[in-house]
């Protein structure tokens, strides 16, 4: 009997795969026997991700998906896909009154428009197989809660959630499903490289019922689940993985 949670025989595109959640998603997809096509802006780190993947036949494509022309170029090179996981994104904290136009454009281009344009182009160029699965990494910020200085970041994630609802309806006739993963705080290099004091981070972790942040691979497991045949009747929804944070 075939394992419905396996990705064997599936070709999956993962964006933002050079580090953090994107890298973990690629690793877990490969571990679940998928063939992975990974993209990111940093060639050195992307190559490191590629070399870390189990199995054979994986590819990497260097691209800045905040640039529309890069999306067109990348999609033209792709085979027919069984799944997509859009992980590309940045985190910036800035109070609204200090936010400038460039901040708006940078955050929306990277966090929202890159995913929207990518999915639009994949649909236009007919690169998604029937019964393919699209997974977009969202956030509890802007969807379930907010934080000081997170108004624009939260707005980008809220935009993705709205995009998924209608897109799921549009693609349903092809049995293509569209879902988001909505994580709480996850231990990634973005966190380690931030200016937030380590003591403040430790105090923040205590707000989580499990007293810790999530690990990137735990988001990766959720992505594998949504890409697998086990979720063929699941579309237009958000998979919340926040360690119980939003219970408070």
């Amino acid at each position: 009997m075939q394992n419905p949670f396996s990705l064997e025989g599936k070709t999956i595109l993962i964006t933002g795969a050079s580090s953090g959640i994107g890298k973990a998603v690629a690793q877990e997809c490969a571990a679940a026997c998928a063939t992975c096509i990974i993209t990111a802006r940093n060639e050195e780190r992307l190559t490191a991700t590629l070399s870390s993947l189990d199995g054979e036949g994986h590819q990497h494509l260097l691209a800045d998906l905040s640039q529309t022309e890069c999306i067109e170029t990348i999609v033209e090179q792709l085979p027919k896909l069984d799944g997509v996981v859009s992980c590309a994104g940045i985190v910036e904290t800035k109070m609204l009154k200090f936010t400038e136009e460039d901040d708006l454009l940078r955050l929306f281009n990277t966090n929202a428009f890159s995913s929207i344009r990518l999915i639009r182009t994949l649909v236009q160029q007919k690169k998604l197989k029937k019964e393919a699965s699209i997974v977009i990494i969202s956030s509890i910020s802007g969807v379930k809660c907010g934080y000081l200085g997170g108004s624009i970041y939260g707005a980008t994630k809220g935009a993705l959630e709205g995009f998924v609802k209608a897109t799921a309806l549009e693609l349903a006739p092809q049995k293509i499903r569209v879902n988001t993963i909505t994580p709480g705080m996850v231990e990634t290099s973005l966190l380690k490289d931030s200016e937030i004091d380590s003591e403040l981070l430790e105090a923040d972790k205590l707000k989580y019922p499990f007293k810790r942040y999530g690990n990137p691979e735990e988001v990766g497991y959720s992505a594998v689940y949504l890409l697998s045949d086990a979720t063929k009747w699941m579309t237009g929804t958000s998979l919340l993985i926040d360690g119980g944070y939003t219970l408070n």
Side-chain angles (χ1 to χ4, degrees), residues 19-95:
S19 62
I21 290 173
K23 181 176 182 177
V25 168
Q27 291 171 331
E28 298 307 328
C29 285
C33 300
T35 299
C36 298
I37 302 173
I38 59 174
T39 76
R41 292 182 291 192
N42 187 297
E43 185 171 13
E44 182 179 353
R45 294 191 311 213
L46 189 63
T47 302
T49 298
L50 183 69
S51 65
S52 74
L53 302 182
D54 293 339
E56 299 178 348
H58 309 298
Q59 304 175 49
H60 69 303
L61 299 170
L62 193 66
D64 179 357
L65 297 184
S66 66
Q67 305 297 319
T68 305
E69 60 272 18
C70 285
I71 293 175
E72 297 282 348
T73 301
I74 285 294
V75 171
E76 288 173 1
Q77 300 176 57
L78 294 173
K80 290 274 190 176
L81 300 171
D82 298 284
V84 181
V85 187
S86 183
C87 303
I90 55 175
V91 179
E92 292 186 11
T93 301
K94 184 176 285 190
M95 299 298 284

Side-chain angles (χ1 to χ4, degrees), residues 69-247:
E69 60 272 18
C70 285
I71 293 175
E72 297 282 348
T73 301
I74 285 294
V75 171
E76 288 173 1
Q77 300 176 57
L78 294 173
K80 290 274 190 176
L81 300 171
D82 298 284
V84 181
V85 187
S86 183
C87 303
I90 55 175
V91 179
E92 292 186 11
T93 301
K94 184 176 285 190
M95 299 298 284
L96 182 62
K97 63 182 177 181
F98 299 122
T99 301
E100 299 181 1
E101 189 68 16
D102 286 347
D103 299 320
L104 292 174
L105 294 175
R106 181 173 59 257
L107 278 164
F108 269 92
N109 271 328
T110 304
N111 290 0
F113 297 154
S114 64
S115 291
I116 293 169
R117 289 169 178 149
L118 174 64
I119 303 309
R120 179 189 63 182
T121 307
L122 288 169
V123 170
Q124 289 172 337
Q125 295 194 19
K126 299 180 179 179
K127 293 289 186 173
L128 298 171
K129 293 182 183 178
K130 185 177 180 180
E131 297 190 340
S133 175
I134 298 169
V135 181
I136 298 177
I137 304 300
S138 181
S139 172
I140 59 172
S141 297
V143 179
K144 299 290 185 181
C145 59
Y147 64 93
L148 286 173
S151 58
I152 308 307
Y153 174 80
T156 66
K157 296 302 185 178
L160 290 174
E161 296 285 341
F163 169 73
V164 161
K165 299 296 183 186
T167 304
L169 289 173
E170 286 190 28
L171 300 184
Q174 290 81 48
K175 302 295 188 293
I176 296 172
R177 56 201 192 274
V178 192
N179 297 288
T180 63
I181 296 173
T182 309
M185 192 73 84
V186 177
E187 296 272 10
T188 69
S189 59
L190 287 176
L191 198 60
K192 294 173 184 175
D193 296 338
S194 74
E195 298 177 356
I196 303 174
D197 184 89
S198 60
E199 290 185 4
L200 289 176
L201 288 175
E202 291 302 316
D204 188 60
K205 289 178 184 179
L206 298 179
K207 298 176 183 177
Y208 286 74
F210 291 144
K211 309 306 179 188
R212 69 172 178 89
Y213 291 152
N215 296 314
E217 60 267 25
E218 291 172 319
V219 182
Y221 303 149
S222 299
V224 170
Y225 173 61
L226 289 174
L227 292 165
S228 75
D229 290 348
T231 53
K232 279 189 173 182
W233 203 51
M234 188 172 173
T235 195
T237 193
S238 298
L239 185 58
L240 179 64
I241 172 170
D242 72 341
Y245 180 85
T246 52
L247 293 172

